[in-house]
Amino acid sequence: MNKKVIVIGGGFAGLSSAACLAKEGYDVTILEKNESIGGRARQFKVNGFTFDMGPSWYWMPDVFEKFYNLFGYTTSDLYELERLDPGYRVHFGENDHVDVPAKFEQLVDLFESIEEGSGQNLKKFLSQAEYKYQVGINDLVYKPSKSLTEFLDWRIVSGVFKMDLFKSISSEIRKLFKNPKLIELLEFPVLFLGAKPQSTPALYSLMNYADLKLGTWYPKGGMFRIVEAMEKIAREQGVKIETGVEIDRFEYRNGKITSAVSGSDHYDADVFIGAGDYHHIEQKLVDKQYRNYSEDYWDKRTMAPSSLLFYLGVDKKLKNLNHHNLFFDEDFTIHAKEIYDDPKWPSKPLFYVCAPSVTDETVAPEGKENLFILIPTAPGLEDSEEMREHYYELVMNRLERLTKQKIADSVIYKRSYAHKDFKNDYHAFKGNAYGLANTLRQTAILKPAMHSKKLKNLLFTGQLTVPGPGVPPSLISGQVVAKEVAKSIN
């Protein structure tokens, strides 16, 4: 009889682990608390608009392709993928913006036009970043990070200094570039890793390689197409998916979990994978004597940011907006300090606007625009409707001024989403949006462990464990935990 596996959580990591284990012959069931799968990448439709609720950047297409190949698919079998050109626009102020081109030669010319000598420096920087990407993505992130011995590989050890684990990405960038616009452009991907550039290892310039060389892509129909593709694969492997199932507690015998309990329903299995919020599962569902960590341990973790989001339907087509738009017209340093050093609602936040209807006519009615606005914030803040409205007006005023058009009076649909919603929908620790920050002290073996130290058949996956936050890392995390199950649970 095939061993039974219960996966708690139907986001990217949960779907990934479930599909991989089912492929190896396990009897796998995903239990998802919400009414639809996808986790933070869920989707909703209203008044002819289709909104992706969370992730909107499609980077590292090779990671997706590698996953699909495991099951005999290529990306093009599952959805239509388009490389955006320009990849995104960065607004630095009124009449001052930069479009980041897809073609590398044009990118080099752009850098050179902003700062003499920076074109060659960009080539040097990205050459180093490519090495980190190849070693980091192909070697490091597919390891479970149980001990340092995993990394005693000649390719990794011999290149440890080239990996720049002990330098900050901020110092690396500033050695080569002096213009503040170029510095901000190169530091921005670190926002997705959840730490200030000064606290993020220079290893993560691999994100710059992913951004500027591998490119920014878009799956037609929206990011939810990835969820649909993964669900298709999982079901084809025999995975069963139950939605609307909230796990309340576990039952135990002989140092193992025997059952996950939801109300009066018991889900028995040989193996349990926590693919939801690690902190919630460990601190709220697991009995105290079986927990890996104390509440004090969790309180000392550096969390990636939360976000205040707005989903807007606009009753006209807009000008001066690309698919992706970054608004860096205020001080990056002040906003970062208000997220990490002195957590508070930001005084003059940077923000991001996604307008997928610029690329994709299917996500908005004809003649209308679909907008997704994101303001990075500190986790753990008090969240009120008054605060949300304050920031909506603040951001809308700047958006109108910088794009030179009226927008607010044409908004026909509006929904906000912030800390309270992340907690309610995902049990997100401190209302975080991106998981655990990728600081040096929270990298690899210093992240919360995949394996329970006290329960033989409980493992964790997702953005609070190895390898870290983001869609591709979550996809990888599911594959890694599946291999750990296959190795350790007989």
Side-chain angles (χ1 to χ4, degrees), residues 406-421:
K406 289 288 186 182
I407 301 174
D409 57 5
S410 296
V411 172
I412 55 174
Y413 176 80
K414 173 184 163 190
R415 177 182 174 184
S416 64
Y417 198 96
H419 301 67
K420 287 188 293 189
D421 302 297

Side-chain angles (χ1 to χ4, degrees), residues 138-253:
N138 294 323
D139 293 341
L140 293 178
V141 298
Y142 284 90
K143 296 183 183 295
S145 296
K146 291 190 286 188
S147 74
L148 277 173
T149 57
E150 293 172 29
F151 304 97
L152 298 182
D153 173 290
W154 175 246
R155 186 180 183 208
I156 298 171
V157 172
S158 63
V160 71
F161 294 106
K162 289 175 72 176
M163 297 298 283
D164 290 329
L165 280 166
F166 306 108
K167 301 175 185 174
S168 76
I169 193 169
S170 178
S171 65
E172 279 300 287
I173 289 171
R174 281 167 168 74
K175 275 198 310 188
L176 295 170
F177 306 96
K178 304 303 177 190
N179 186 281
K181 291 180 183 177
L182 298 183
I183 290 170
E184 286 192 357
L185 194 153
L186 291 170
E187 287 185 345
F188 118 79
V190 174
L191 289 174
F192 294 93
L193 300 171
K196 291 191 301 183
Q198 294 86 344
S199 304
T200 301
L203 162 67
Y204 290 107
S205 65
L206 64 85
M207 294 293 290
N208 297 109
Y209 176 76
D211 167 15
L212 301 174
K213 290 297 289 285
L214 298 183
T216 300
W217 300 76
Y218 175 74
K220 185 157 186 184
M223 295 290 284
F224 193 70
R225 294 303 305 275
I226 309 167
V227 176
E228 292 174 332
M230 294 182 71
E231 179 185 9
K232 169 184 167 70
I233 288 170
R235 289 191 186 276
E236 286 177 352
Q237 300 305 310
V239 175
K240 296 174 283 293
I241 300 174
E242 296 189 30
T243 57
V245 179
E246 172 90 66
I247 298 303
D248 307 314
R249 60 188 176 87
F250 294 117
E251 292 181 343
Y252 313 88
R253 186 168 57 246

Side-chain angles (χ1 to χ4, degrees), residues 12 15-20 23 61-73 78 142 226 229-231 233-234 475-476 478-479:
F12 288 116
L15 286 164
S16 173
S17 62
C20 291
K23 182 173 182 285
D62 53 315
V63 173
F64 296 93
E65 181 71 11
K66 190 173 180 179
F67 176 79
Y68 299 143
N69 290 170
L70 294 174
F71 304 93
Y73 286 103
L78 299 163
Y142 284 90
I226 309 167
M230 294 182 71
E231 179 185 9
I233 288 170
L475 203 68
I476 292 168
Q479 294 171 69

